[in-house]
Amino acid sequence: MNQVKVAAWASDPITLAGLIDHLRTRREVRVMPGQQRGEAAVLVFAANRVTREVKAALRAAASETPAAIVFVAGYVDADDLAELAAWHVAAVLPRDAIGGDQLVRSIVAAASGRETSMRDLLHQAETLRRGGDHTNLSPREVDVLRLMAEGWDTAEIANKLCYSERTVKNVIYGMTNRLKLRNRPHAVAYALRAGVI
């Protein structure tokens, strides 16, 4: 089996270390040192959101090498997809894909030159926008979480969203129970890590 030469980039050093460690355990890929990034067939980028820094890194990578890019993110706005496609992004995956088979499958597909349509990228970004398949948070839950993260109490959240306090409490209880979260701060931390708020 031919190994796919891969180079990695992440918006923070901890994510980068975890990404490289995982990729090194997979026999399908060979991680290239930073100075040999130009030899990679696929670049894997990991970030929570598409920021100015991330865009600059993607733009630079696309100008340095024709390698396909697999982008692992917490959230991607549909408005960013045209730029991502222009920068050789072949797949957009949720952050929890960093440690799994989905990432390696996407790397192998990107290396084989399989084209990803804008429709596919849009679907992938929509999955991330909804919080990914791993969170299953409803829009109502996301709204409540955003206000909780801003420090509003139950009555204030109810007033802002035009819900009763009981509805807000039920939303919080149902979400924390379903996702096995301990309390409100744990729920906010979970939503932040998932990239939904």
Side-chain angles (χ1 to χ4, degrees):
M1 170 193 282
N2 289 339
Q3 290 183 309
V4 177
K5 292 180 179 179
V6 175
W9 181 94
S11 57
D12 67 87
I14 294 171
T15 301
L16 180 60
L19 176 60
I20 290 172
D21 284 348
H22 171 67
L23 290 172
R24 285 187 176 147
T25 68
R26 301 303 299 246
R27 58 181 164 74
E28 302 95 333
V29 300
R30 184 170 135 217
V31 180
M32 305 302 292
Q35 67 272 21
Q36 295 177 333
R37 182 165 97 172
E39 296 176 30
V42 177
L43 304 177
V44 179
F45 275 69
N48 192 40
R49 293 183 177 267
V50 181
T51 62
R52 242 181 280 145
E53 174 194 28
V54 171
K55 286 182 178 184
L58 286 165
R59 189 179 311 110
S63 67
E64 292 170 12
T65 176
I69 296 174
V70 173
F71 187 55
V72 181
Y75 176 84
V76 173
D77 193 302
D79 294 341
D80 294 322
L81 290 179
E83 284 181 297
L84 293 178
W87 297 327
H88 312 165
V89 172
V92 177
L93 303 175
R95 280 185 68 102
D96 65 353
I98 284 180
D101 292 336
Q102 183 182 11
L103 175 59
V104 174
R105 283 193 306 269
S106 294
I107 289 169
V108 171
S112 71
R114 286 187 224 151
E115 290 291 320
T116 302
S117 69
M118 186 60 80
R119 178 181 288 162
D120 291 339
L121 288 179
L122 185 59
H123 173 71
Q124 293 166 5
E126 179 62 20
T127 299
L128 290 175
R129 189 191 67 71
R130 288 192 320 257
D133 296 334
H134 63 292
T135 58
N136 295 319
L137 291 171
S138 71
R140 178 185 280 190
E141 289 169 336
V142 172
D143 290 342
V144 170
L145 281 165
R146 283 192 180 120
L147 293 172
M148 284 171 42
E150 292 174 13
W152 301 107
D153 66 21
T154 303
E156 292 166 323
I157 292 170
N159 186 43
K160 286 186 173 292
L161 296 177
C162 298
Y163 297 152
S164 69
E165 285 186 50
R166 178 172 293 295
T167 298
V168 172
K169 288 177 183 177
N170 287 339
V171 167
I172 294 167
Y173 174 79
M175 173 182 50
T176 55
N177 191 42
R178 186 180 77 249
L179 299 174
K180 298 177 178 36
L181 303 170
R182 291 185 304 278
N183 50 34
R184 290 177 181 215
H186 190 200
V188 170
Y190 176 86
L192 286 168
R193 281 194 307 272
V196 295
I197 62 171

